[in-house]
Amino acid sequence: MELAQSDLQEKAAELSLASKYKSEFLANMSHELRTPLNSLLLLAQALAENKEGNLSQEQVEFSQIIHASGSDLLNLINEILDLAKIEAGRIDLRPAKVATEELAQGISGFFEHMANQKGLELKVSVDPEAPTELFSDRQRIEQILKNLVANAIKFTDEGGVEVIFHPPREDMNKTKLGMGDGDFLAVSVSDTGIGIDPHEQRVIFEAFQQVDGSTSRRYGGTGLGLSISRELAHLLGGAIEVKSRPGQGSTFTVYLALSATLQGMDPVKPPAQARPSFVQESSTPVWRDSKAAGAQAAEPKAEIEDDRQDISSGERMILIVEDDPNFARILYSKCHAKGFKCLAAASGEAGLELAREYLPDAVILDLHLPGLDGWSVLEAMKEDTRTRHIPVHIMSVEQASSESLRKGAVGHATKPVDSQELEAAFDKLAQVAAQGTRRVLVVEDNEQLRRNTVSVIGGGDVEVDEADTAARAMEALREQNYDCIVLDLGLPDMDGRQLLEALQQEGMDIPPVIVYTARDMTREEETALRENTESIIIKGVRSQERLLDEVSLFLHRMVSKMPARKRQIIRNLHDSEAMLAGKKVMVVDDDMRTTFAVAALLSELGMEVIKANNGQKALQLLEDDPGVDLVLMDIMMPVMDGYQAMEKIRAQERLVDLPIIALTAKAMPVDREKCLQAGANDYLPKPVDRDKLISMIRVWLYR
Amino acid sequence: MQAGQIEQIEIDLLLEAVYRRYGYDFRSYARASIERRVRQFLSRQGLGSIMELTDQVLHDPKLFSSLARYFSIAVTELFRDPWAYRVLREKVVPVLQTWPHFKVWHAGCSSGEEVYSLAILLREEEVYHRSTIYATDFNDSVLQQAREGIYEIDRLKDATRNYQGAGGKASFSDYYHARYGAAVMDGSLRERIVFSNHNLVTDTVFSEMHLIFCRNVLIYFDRGLQNRVLKLFDESLVNGGFLCLGSKEDIQFTEVADRYEVVDRQARIFKKKARP
Ligand SMILES: C[S@@+](CC[C@H](N)C(=O)[O-])C[C@H]1O[C@@H](n2cnc3c(N)ncnc32)[C@H](O)[C@@H]1O
């Protein structure tokens, strides 16, 4: 007994291990398949573009066919991977509330265009008796429905496709369909297409089980869609059935459990019905082959010829680290087309060596490499002071994520890449490589933190100077031009704010300042500080990332030669504007962008501006400062909104005549009416138009 | 002329009438959905034709509000798509923390479940006090429900499960008080929330935002309107700010696509790239 049990356990363990291997194998395999497809698709696309104009119309068409077939193949590979995942139980369901109407909306929105282009009518309707919501996995349901509708459109040339969400019909045979108890939503997809022979109806769901290979091509889209749909329907506690007669169209009906939790929470459990599994059936022969293929891939491939014999000083060059010689060739000619010389390496080690020896202007890096992988190459380059400034663009079958940018790459394209992506990658590299050295001053008294900051932003084309006191910072600023300052507020000799004031008093042209501090601050402190700094970053787990973003933003801005903040706008004040000088305006808005923009404009006209960030503050300020001539009042604000504030102002005898202009994001006539009722004299739509604002202020101050 | 084409004209006229009479612009909503909803509304109201409906809507504001409610589906739930909240917790909040204060905008907040969900999350991550939250919708009656924060008690089971799935740190019952068969969201969650009417079709930017939620709203709009609204969001967001869409919505293939990087595709969270 015990023996039998341990035997069983062993078997089960073996089985699950085997299935794990299969999934892993399939995942690897799909990477291996994508590599040659990458070159195939790119070259076919390049040929089809016929840039040199030397291909005949027919040859261009052939190239387009190669590209289209390659894309089909890619889809098929993705589907195989999908099906394998489902069969191995490696798919996690994410059940949530799903509204029937939203599903209907999704389908009609997605397919309307496609159906219209084929001259078909697409009708999507929801039966009033249909359940209005279900608890299930929206994305998976949509995957099933999209597949069915896409097929229906594909196999229908005349007439239309109708999708109906309805309650299951009386005659639904739960046992035959292998469904559990409970309530269901049914979705029927009917077409007026070619229909399906009765004996073929059974097999269209079986992956690779078709009696006649052509069946899948005729009925199954790219082949596996229906199998995937059926598996998914089972996972969601439902089923799919088909009714069809050749020549009269088909109706596929999906039944979806209203609560998919039972099956959904335990996805590993195989569905009740015994079905042939394609992974088991067909794996044996493929298995052996591919192991061999896998082994081959690990051997370093021969490097392609490159320009290393032929580089004279001053020439721009790009290093390509790529083990697929075909893709390397494509990149090689692209480099030339872009006016770069090209170096090529087929392994991580060789790539790193070339990078250190030649210090190229830019690098294109694959991640899956024999030996040292791409990530390690990138890391090693970033650690080496001689190579860390070289821009690196990743091109890999691995999905792009922010990981690559965080590790220092300037971009990440996922293979297969198309020609636009390739173009964009080269442009990006060229652009980054063309920027010269920038200079940043880091002012921070804590040595540890300062070093940290310097290592985050420094390197390559960014040179960083450090200052540990305000006095040192001022010294540095007098001697050097900086593109950006990173400033800690708590300095031993002077507060950061005072430092800024002191610099201003000296009349120094202060570069953009990024405040980098561990202190919490109140809204008022923030507003005051924002007057003469570009941004404020509070230190924390993710603050380095934002610091890097903001710093590169300002460094980049200098390249595009944005007007310096100091540029004086010389204006001839009209007489009518001159009368505005000396008047006091209160701006009430919690949006700093608006307050600053308005304040800057009004100060330019010689007006005095005070600010409040909500209605309550505004009332307080009015109490303390009787000299306010006019109020600009935002509506949507926390604590006390604009309507309330205006009513409260008007309720005070001495303020009944104070001109108030409401600033509102609302566009309806009724909304504007509401402003006036609350006590505004007039209103202006947001975003505020400068000329309109000035003329309106003039009107209300002239009275 | 076919019946279908005549129906198109009737619907055009209905939408035009609604716009001119009430200022609500449904002309750029996804057409198929509007058609379907009009047909359903007709049969529910027992009206014979769209023209009849148009005639009555023009003179009956009450009928208009029920029609408008029919046009904009308001389903929502607490911690809907829990995984999205998990991603928010792990990848977005730590970045929000780097601003001294930050603003959140729930555009199309419906009855407010989403707003309270995020408020709970922000409180648990100890950043609520630094936030200002705008919750807007163009439908005053759902907005009123949002302001009250009172929900049916039998929906709390799902909500509790979602809350846990979203990586909740406390007991969900800490956040509501059950009374007379209803659950009232804890009033302290409302402290930093500003409820306001805002119509995405006609109204404009009103403040600078660090995080914008607009989930399951864009699906009801046609492509042109989607682009308009996404641009509105783009103008509102600070550099490095976040946009969170519904699980069926995406910025891929829209006019703003290249200005964002994907934080998490499944959660539909995007980050505005820093640019000068
Ligand atoms: C399906 S609900 C989404 C609720 C919530 N965001 C969620 O995802 O759970 C859609 C909401 O969008 C609102 N809406 C539709 N059109 C709008 C518009 N033009 N302006 C503002 N809100 C709108 C509707 O009133 C409704 O409350």
Side-chain angles (χ1 to χ4, degrees):
Chain A
M1 179 71 182
E2 234 166 67
L3 220 87
Q5 201 167 7
S6 79
D7 215 35
L8 257 176
Q9 272 168 358
E10 215 168 274
K11 278 262 155 51
E14 259 171 41
L15 260 174
S16 84
L17 198 64
S19 126
K20 189 171 154 256
Y21 282 151
K22 271 172 215 156
S23 300
E24 264 165 27
F25 159 70
L26 278 164
N28 291 338
M29 196 59 199
S30 86
H31 277 177
E32 293 295 331
L33 287 166
R34 268 181 247 228
T35 302
L37 264 179
N38 181 44
S39 306
L40 188 139
L41 286 171
L42 256 178
L43 289 176
Q45 201 182 7
L47 281 178
E49 279 167 13
N50 194 14
K51 282 226 177 89
E52 278 152 45
N54 55 357
L55 296 185
S56 71
Q57 183 62 33
E58 198 181 33
Q59 285 166 330
V60 169
E61 265 165 40
F62 287 173
S63 318
Q64 284 165 346
I65 293 171
I66 298 177
H67 187 262
S69 309
S71 310
D72 285 347
L73 190 54
L74 185 65
N75 285 338
L76 190 56
I77 293 168
N78 292 340
E79 284 185 344
I80 292 179
L81 198 63
D82 228 18
L83 190 53
K85 268 201 210 143
I86 301 174
E87 294 213 339
R90 297 218 315 193
I91 205 157
D92 47 338
L93 289 186
R94 300 182 153 183
K97 199 151 282 184
V98 188
T100 309
E101 178 58 33
E102 287 189 354
L103 288 175
Q105 177 48 35
I107 288 297
S108 57
F110 196 82
F111 286 106
E112 209 161 26
H113 184 64
M114 197 191 286
N116 288 346
Q117 268 195 333
K118 250 192 117 175
L120 299 175
E121 197 195 354
L122 173 67
K123 246 172 92 179
V124 181
S125 59
V126 180
D127 184 318
E129 302 290 309
T132 53
E133 42 183 40
L134 54 165
F135 192 79
S136 192
D137 186 317
R138 203 174 331 176
Q139 255 170 332
R140 298 299 170 188
I141 296 180
E142 272 167 3
Q143 194 177 346
I144 300 173
L145 295 181
K146 279 184 182 167
N147 185 264
L148 295 181
V149 179
N151 277 351
I153 294 179
K154 193 163 177 183
F155 296 110
T156 307
D157 291 326
E158 235 172 82
V161 172
E162 182 164 17
V163 182
I164 307 178
F165 293 74
H166 59 91
R169 301 198 208 298
E170 298 285 307
D171 62 356
M172 173 181 65
N173 188 337
K174 281 189 188 170
T175 9
K176 187 175 146 224
L177 290 166
M179 295 167 13
D181 277 336
D183 292 325
F184 294 86
L185 166 71
V187 191
S188 296
V189 181
S190 311
D191 62 52
T192 53
I194 53 176
I196 308 166
D197 280 345
H199 69 276
E200 279 177 341
Q201 289 178 17
R202 266 185 312 112
V203 291
I204 49 172
F205 291 108
E206 310 290 347
F208 301 134
Q209 284 282 305
Q210 281 90 348
V211 201
D212 151 17
S214 68
T215 317
S216 81
R217 246 160 283 140
R218 279 173 59 209
Y219 304 115
T222 40
L224 298 180
L226 282 176
S227 313
I228 294 175
S229 298
R230 188 182 66 170
E231 298 293 330
L232 287 175
H234 275 286
L235 268 183
L236 296 175
I240 299 187
E241 72 178 352
V242 54
K243 294 208 169 96
S244 175
R245 272 216 232 135
Q248 306 202 342
S250 324
T251 297
F252 285 82
T253 303
V254 198
Y255 297 99
L256 298 164
L258 291 196
S259 178
T261 25
L262 282 183
Q263 282 79 357
M265 287 303 172
D266 182 16
V268 193
K269 196 177 90 190
Q273 212 185 13
R275 294 179 317 288
S277 150
F278 92 87
V279 178
Q280 281 163 22
E281 304 276 311
S282 60
S283 59
T284 337
V286 189
W287 198 244
R288 238 173 274 127
D289 278 1
S290 62
K291 266 209 184 128
Q296 224 170 28
E299 280 165 31
K301 290 181 180 142
E303 322 225 325
I304 65 158
E305 246 179 76
D306 63 12
D307 303 326
R308 65 187 84 171
Q309 306 301 338
D310 180 29
I311 296 175
S312 25
S313 75
E315 275 186 311
R316 300 191 304 159
M317 59 184 144
I318 287 183
L319 166 64
I320 292 162
V321 189
E322 169 61 73
D323 66 332
D324 170 16
N326 295 324
F327 189 46
R329 264 287 300 153
I330 294 174
L331 293 174
Y332 177 79
S333 42
K334 190 81 191 170
C335 284
H336 287 184
K338 288 277 169 188
F340 286 94
K341 284 287 167 72
C342 177
L343 297 167
S347 71
E349 285 86 351
L352 201 53
E353 214 166 278
L354 285 180
R356 288 181 173 145
E357 189 180 338
Y358 287 86
L359 301 177
D361 296 283
V363 176
I364 290 178
L365 181 64
D366 187 15
L367 291 177
H368 290 261
L369 291 167
L372 199 62
D373 72 4
W375 291 122
S376 316
V377 173
L378 181 59
E379 230 161 79
M381 281 186 65
K382 292 296 159 192
E383 271 164 20
D384 187 333
T385 45
R386 289 168 307 151
T387 53
R388 65 177 301 184
H389 67 283
I390 303 174
V392 176
H393 202 296
I394 293 174
M395 286 194 192
S396 160
V397 289
E398 220 161 279
Q399 280 300 322
S401 72
S402 53
E403 184 72 13
S404 7
L405 301 187
R406 214 163 305 139
K407 294 208 162 127
V410 298
H412 184 147
T414 307
K415 288 180 189 173
V417 290
D418 62 22
S419 51
Q420 282 100 316
E421 287 171 310
L422 204 55
E423 193 74 20
F426 271 89
D427 287 351
K428 178 107 194 200
L429 285 174
Q431 184 211 336
V432 178
Q435 290 175 354
T437 311
R438 289 313 127 62
R439 210 171 262 280
V440 178
L441 178 64
V442 174
V443 191
E444 160 79 64
D445 59 333
N446 180 314
E447 169 158 7
Q448 183 66 40
L449 289 175
R450 194 172 65 238
R451 286 281 139 79
N452 244 336
T453 308
V454 171
S455 75
V456 172
I457 54 180
D461 59 342
V462 180
E463 241 166 69
V464 188
D465 289 343
E466 308 171 30
D468 56 357
T469 61
R472 293 241 164 76
M474 290 181 80
E475 218 168 282
L477 283 161
R478 283 188 203 113
E479 277 165 19
Q480 263 284 353
N481 267 329
Y482 288 95
D483 298 301
C484 178
I485 306 177
V486 177
L487 176 65
D488 180 27
L489 288 182
L491 297 170
D493 48 343
M494 204 190 267
D495 184 71
R497 276 169 271 242
Q498 292 167 326
L499 169 62
L500 290 174
E501 273 161 32
L503 289 171
Q504 243 158 6
Q505 265 159 20
E506 259 183 51
M508 198 177 280
D509 198 352
I510 311 174
V513 177
I514 297 171
V515 172
Y516 195 46
T517 176
R519 278 193 212 165
D520 264 8
M521 53 184 84
T522 65
R523 261 158 236 265
E524 287 70 27
E525 285 172 325
E526 185 189 358
T527 316
L529 198 55
R530 279 282 292 274
E531 298 265 6
N532 39 29
T533 61
E534 294 294 328
S535 74
I536 305 172
I537 302 174
I538 309 285
K539 291 172 188 164
V541 272
R542 294 282 293 277
S543 57
Q544 296 204 332
E545 201 178 310
R546 217 189 116 213
L547 179 64
L548 190 58
D549 271 1
E550 301 266 353
V551 170
S552 27
L553 185 65
F554 294 122
L555 299 187
H556 188 77
R557 178 181 287 180
M558 300 310 288
V559 186
S560 55
K561 292 279 177 283
M562 287 276 286
R565 297 190 307 143
K566 278 281 169 152
R567 199 181 70 177
Q568 269 302 343
I569 302 164
I570 300 156
R571 293 173 39 86
N572 279 328
L573 294 187
H574 298 295
D575 289 347
S576 56
E577 287 179 359
M579 58 92 28
L580 298 177
K583 300 279 190 200
K584 192 185 276 186
V585 175
M586 177 163 73
V587 186
V588 191
D589 197 326
D590 73 321
D591 182 20
M592 271 189 238
R593 275 193 311 197
T594 312
T595 29
F596 282 129
V598 170
L601 171 64
L602 299 184
S603 322
E604 231 175 80
L605 297 173
M607 305 180 82
E608 195 185 328
V609 181
I610 56 175
K611 298 173 194 155
N613 62 10
N614 66 53
Q616 202 162 25
K617 292 257 164 60
L619 288 170
Q620 215 158 34
L621 278 180
L622 280 176
E623 201 139 299
D624 301 346
D625 187 345
V628 174
D629 296 298
L630 182 139
V631 177
L632 296 175
M633 179 73 76
D634 181 35
I635 300 299
M636 290 158 77
M637 286 179 297
V639 188
M640 183 190 289
D641 70 16
Y643 296 130
Q644 282 180 41
M646 290 191 286
E647 275 164 17
K648 291 224 153 91
I649 292 175
R650 291 305 184 217
Q652 296 179 43
E653 187 88 45
R654 83 188 162 89
L655 298 176
V656 272
D657 288 329
L658 176 67
I660 306 178
I661 299 172
L663 306 179
T664 171
K666 307 277 310 159
M668 283 307 143
V670 281
D671 302 316
R672 313 213 147 152
E673 194 53 43
K674 251 171 107 182
C675 291
L676 300 184
Q677 264 167 19
N681 297 83
D682 209 338
Y683 52 77
L684 265 180
K686 279 185 158 190
V688 179
D689 178 282
R690 149 179 210 294
D691 293 334
K692 278 197 197 134
L693 177 66
I694 295 176
S695 54
M696 197 174 282
I697 291 180
R698 206 183 301 142
V699 168
W700 288 102
L701 287 182
Y702 244 121
R703 291 181 314 155
Chain B
M1 191 178 274
Q2 289 177 346
Q5 286 167 299
I6 296 178
E7 190 191 68
Q8 292 298 321
I9 299 177
E10 288 185 304
I11 290 179
D12 284 343
L13 293 174
L14 170 67
L15 299 184
E16 190 65 31
V18 162
Y19 178 55
R20 301 262 301 270
R21 169 71 173 82
Y22 298 101
Y24 281 82
D25 191 354
F26 291 103
R27 295 171 302 175
S28 311
Y29 276 49
R31 191 64 185 213
S33 165
I34 290 284
E35 285 168 18
R36 193 163 50 246
R37 302 303 281 176
V38 168
R39 282 189 213 112
Q40 284 178 33
F41 191 72
L42 279 186
S43 78
R44 209 189 67 159
Q45 297 285 323
L47 290 170
S49 73
I50 302 177
M51 287 316 279
E52 206 177 312
L53 172 64
T54 308
D55 183 37
Q56 295 196 9
V57 158
L58 270 174
H59 300 103
D60 181 357
K62 275 223 191 77
L63 188 65
F64 164 68
S65 352
S66 42
L67 177 66
R69 259 200 299 278
Y70 231 75
F71 280 161
S72 57
I73 290 85
V75 268
T76 180
E77 65 181 314
L78 286 154
F79 288 100
R80 178 181 200 173
D81 302 339
W83 62 86
Y85 287 89
R86 202 179 265 276
V87 176
L88 280 167
R89 211 184 268 276
E90 284 161 11
K91 298 201 183 155
V92 175
V93 170
V95 181
L96 289 181
Q97 232 153 359
T98 67
W99 279 283
H101 301 98
F102 60 89
K103 291 185 190 168
V104 182
W105 178 14
H106 294 269
C109 67
S110 190
S111 38
E113 282 87 335
E114 177 187 281
V115 187
Y116 289 103
S117 306
L118 187 71
I120 289 172
L121 188 151
L122 294 178
R123 160 136 318 154
E124 289 186 355
E125 297 301 318
E126 295 172 12
V127 292
Y128 183 73
H129 64 285
R130 290 209 222 155
S131 69
T132 300
I133 301 168
Y134 288 94
T136 70
D137 203 287
F138 78 152
N139 176 338
D140 277 329
S141 79
V142 292
L143 207 53
Q144 185 53 31
Q145 278 173 279
R147 205 172 273 130
E148 286 163 1
I150 301 176
Y151 303 117
E152 283 167 40
I153 208 142
D154 53 337
R155 306 198 60 169
L156 288 182
K157 251 206 293 177
D158 286 347
T160 305
R161 186 170 44 193
N162 281 352
Y163 167 75
Q164 286 153 0
K169 291 185 170 166
S171 155
F172 189 56
S173 57
D174 293 353
Y175 299 109
Y176 62 82
H177 313 284
R179 268 182 226 149
Y180 314 117
V184 190
M185 298 312 290
D186 189 82
S188 69
L189 292 171
R190 217 166 302 148
E191 269 164 22
R192 310 206 73 92
I193 307 178
V194 181
F195 294 95
S196 197
N197 186 304
H198 184 278
N199 187 335
L200 291 167
V201 185
T202 44
D203 298 336
T204 54
V205 173
F206 57 90
S207 196
E208 189 178 41
M209 297 293 164
H210 299 83
L211 168 63
I212 297 180
F213 260 67
C214 184
R215 307 208 302 163
N216 307 300
V217 180
L218 294 180
I219 36 166
Y220 301 107
F221 298 169
D222 72 12
R223 199 153 266 276
L225 183 53
Q226 286 177 1
N227 276 322
R228 178 195 185 271
V229 174
L230 286 172
K231 274 196 210 133
L232 179 67
F233 294 158
D234 193 51
E235 282 165 28
S236 304
L237 278 176
V238 299
N239 277 319
F242 296 90
L243 176 62
C244 181
L245 299 179
S247 60
K248 271 190 301 272
E249 298 152 338
D250 206 322
I251 53 167
Q252 233 180 348
F253 310 123
T254 67
E255 287 168 20
V256 301
D258 58 341
R259 300 186 208 156
Y260 291 80
E261 61 183 71
V262 179
V263 175
D264 187 294
R265 166 119 355 244
Q266 182 164 25
R268 295 296 195 266
I269 298 180
F270 309 94
K271 181 173 165 200
K272 182 168 160 180
K273 290 184 200 162
R275 83 196 125 120

